[in-house]
Amino acid sequence: MSEPVTTMDSRRWYVLALLAMTQFVVILDITIVNIALPAIKDHLDFSEKGLPWVVDAYMLTFGGFLLMGGRAADLFGRKRIFLSGLVLFGLSSLACGLANNSGELITARAFQGLGGAILSPAALSLVAVTFTRDEERNKAMGIWGAVAGAGGATGVVLGGVLTDGPGWEWVFWVNVPFTLGGALIGTRLLVENLDSTTVRKFREFDLLGALLVTAGLSALIYGLVQIGESGSGSAKAGIALGLAVLLLVAFVMTELRTSSPLVPFGIFRSRSLTAANVVMLAFAAGVVAMNFFVTLYLQQVLGYSALEAGLSFLPMALGQIVFSTVASKMLGKIGLPRVMLIGLVASAVALGWFALMRPDGSFLVDVLGPAVLLSVGGGFSFVAIVVSAISGVQPMEQGLAGGLINMSQQVGGALGLAVLSSLAAWRTDHLAGSGPISSTDLNNGFRLGLIVAAVLIAIVAAVGPYAVRAPAAAAGGGEAAPTEDTEAAGETVTS
């Protein structure tokens, strides 16, 4: 029997470095594209309202297939799933930069999201089962949250540098050495945890469920985007939304009838996991939309270059790293609910502050203050949400829990972007009337989207922190009881 993971040497921290680096790249790719959107639009001839699909295509396949990726990691081995996702992500990133038209780019982005969906829950489950003592787990999750949060903010900065430098293609190509290099390192650092039941598990794997939920979510987002483009009376929107309902109902029925469901609904008996996913859904909806609005505000209203707009997000990127680390230390001092409450309140106030931005504004007056406050809110919120989601489930369900929380993040972001960008576009068009769209019209559209985002996060701040609770082991400050699955997980990170 291998050595229990809780007595392992410092090699665990090398494993954490690899896993956090890959999560950094996955989250980076959500926001690094935002700065490059105007350049991509001009080069590949996107329509203004079709442009969000560069982001949505990635987030939809990511969100839809995360459940499949998480369950596959639990059943078929974390190393195999993790490395497969890394390779797919790297090759898809290469294809994105080589795209010659909008269709090719959206297709490549969809496969890139699939790669992220395969690797991300496997990586998070490895973190969870590698660090089982409360103090070390909080520290590891603080690092994980800092790196992942920094990935989102750093993406905007790096996107500006690359777009104004070698070109928009490099916002995708920058991923290639990290993902393919990480796969090579992982083949030596990680050891597989498969067993003799793999073939039987493959036959029982609920691929149909994964396909149904992904198709359903895609139809839902498409319908919302069509409402934004053509209004609520759009025939395309009605057909898409009706199809979404049918597909998602079919998914639920499939899960209830199959002997090996993609999502065993009993996992939602964990109040902390359920609350964490609801909070993440709303939090991601607001923050992803904010990144989209502020990026366009800086470039289309204030006239910043892509590089200047990217550098404007640097304080948020640095603050995210600092405050995620602070949040991990505060978990043991003031408790998870209070850390979450601080994070969500700060985030809601920051989005409301962003909504005050003016057509003749400036970085120092209209952007810097709310960006720093959001780095506090994002750091505290992200760490608390993720710890709440994974701490209350059994080791054999860590992959699924990781898939669920990542799915909530990505689907929430996609829904928030679709709904809030459509709302902002409606407000802008309404103000412009039949005349040309002015910078004031754009600004007022962005402001409406930001106000709605702030209200959404304020609502979950009033409820979410009181619904989560620490698991029994965490409450006692002790070490999780060793299990057969925990020991198997130890083999994944030992020689």
Side-chain angles (χ1 to χ4, degrees), residues 282-345:
F283 177 76
V287 172
V288 169
M290 177 281 302
N291 274 311
F292 185 76
F293 292 140
V294 174
T295 298
L296 295 182
Y297 167 75
L298 290 169
Q299 295 183 77
Q300 296 182 357
V301 177
L302 299 187
Y304 281 30
S305 68
L307 177 60
E308 290 170 333
L311 291 175
S312 298
F313 282 82
L314 186 59
M316 188 187 301
L318 297 176
Q320 189 83 38
I321 297 173
V322 172
F323 291 108
S324 293
T325 304
V326 172
S328 69
K329 297 179 180 178
M330 297 298 290
L331 285 174
K333 296 181 179 179
I334 65 174
L336 190 150
R338 289 189 178 91
V339 171
M340 183 181 290
L341 179 62
I342 292 171
L344 294 175
V345 169

Side-chain angles (χ1 to χ4, degrees), residues 324-413:
S324 293
T325 304
V326 172
S328 69
K329 297 179 180 178
M330 297 298 290
L331 285 174
K333 296 181 179 179
I334 65 174
L336 190 150
R338 289 189 178 91
V339 171
M340 183 181 290
L341 179 62
I342 292 171
L344 294 175
V345 169
S347 298
V349 173
L351 294 185
W353 192 352
F354 270 126
L356 299 177
M357 58 193 189
R358 303 159 299 159
D360 58 346
S362 67
F363 167 73
L364 290 178
V365 175
D366 297 88
V367 176
L368 180 59
V372 172
L373 182 59
L374 189 58
S375 71
V376 179
F380 274 61
S381 297
F382 190 84
V383 171
I385 292 170
V386 172
V387 170
S388 176
I390 68 171
S391 295
V393 299
Q394 296 299 316
M396 68 287 295
E397 295 178 329
Q398 294 285 2
L400 176 58
L404 283 168
I405 197 64
N406 276 287
M407 183 200 71
S408 295
Q409 182 182 10
Q410 302 310 319
V411 173

Side-chain angles (χ1 to χ4, degrees), residues 175-483:
N175 301 326
V176 176
F178 290 101
T179 51
L180 299 185
L184 290 175
I185 294 171
T187 58
R188 296 183 61 85
L189 189 62
L190 304 176
V191 176
E192 194 54 272
N193 66 326
L194 293 174
D195 59 35
S196 59
T197 65
T198 299
V199 174
R200 178 182 60 81
K201 290 176 178 177
F202 179 76
R203 291 173 180 169
E204 296 176 352
F205 185 60
D206 184 22
L207 181 59
L208 176 60
L211 295 175
L212 286 171
V213 71
T214 302
L217 291 170
S218 299
L220 175 63
I221 296 299
Y222 180 79
L224 293 171
V225 171
Q226 285 300 311
I227 289 176
E229 291 184 357
S230 307
S232 58
S234 167
K236 289 183 179 179
I239 293 172
L241 294 176
L243 180 61
V245 171
L246 291 176
L247 289 168
L248 294 175
V249 169
F251 166 71
V252 173
M253 297 301 295
T254 298
E255 300 307 281
L256 292 174
R257 293 178 180 179
T258 184
S259 59
S260 301
L262 183 73
V263 181
F265 291 135
I267 195 172
F268 293 108
R269 285 195 294 265
S270 170
R271 192 176 75 181
S272 289
L273 179 139
T274 302
N277 277 276
V278 172
V279 172
M280 180 62 89
L281 196 74
F283 177 76
V287 172
V288 169
M290 177 281 302
N291 274 311
F292 185 76
F293 292 140
V294 174
T295 298
L296 295 182
Y297 167 75
L298 290 169
Q299 295 183 77
Q300 296 182 357
V301 177
L302 299 187
Y304 281 30
S305 68
L307 177 60
E308 290 170 333
L311 291 175
S312 298
F313 282 82
L314 186 59
M316 188 187 301
L318 297 176
Q320 189 83 38
I321 297 173
V322 172
F323 291 108
S324 293
T325 304
V326 172
S328 69
K329 297 179 180 178
M330 297 298 290
L331 285 174
K333 296 181 179 179
I334 65 174
L336 190 150
R338 289 189 178 91
V339 171
M340 183 181 290
L341 179 62
I342 292 171
L344 294 175
V345 169
S347 298
V349 173
L351 294 185
W353 192 352
F354 270 126
L356 299 177
M357 58 193 189
R358 303 159 299 159
D360 58 346
S362 67
F363 167 73
L364 290 178
V365 175
D366 297 88
V367 176
L368 180 59
V372 172
L373 182 59
L374 189 58
S375 71
V376 179
F380 274 61
S381 297
F382 190 84
V383 171
I385 292 170
V386 172
V387 170
S388 176
I390 68 171
S391 295
V393 299
Q394 296 299 316
M396 68 287 295
E397 295 178 329
Q398 294 285 2
L400 176 58
L404 283 168
I405 197 64
N406 276 287
M407 183 200 71
S408 295
Q409 182 182 10
Q410 302 310 319
V411 173
L415 287 169
L417 183 59
V419 174
L420 297 179
S421 64
S422 296
L423 183 63
W426 168 82
R427 176 63 172 166
T428 297
D429 291 342
H430 176 74
L431 292 173
S434 58
I437 296 176
S438 67
S439 60
T440 299
D441 297 332
L442 283 171
N443 185 81
N444 287 330
F446 298 153
R447 291 181 69 176
L448 177 60
L450 288 165
I451 290 171
V452 175
V455 171
L456 179 64
I457 294 181
I459 291 172
V460 295
V463 179
Y466 306 100
V468 301
R469 56 185 176 189
E479 181 180 320
T483 67

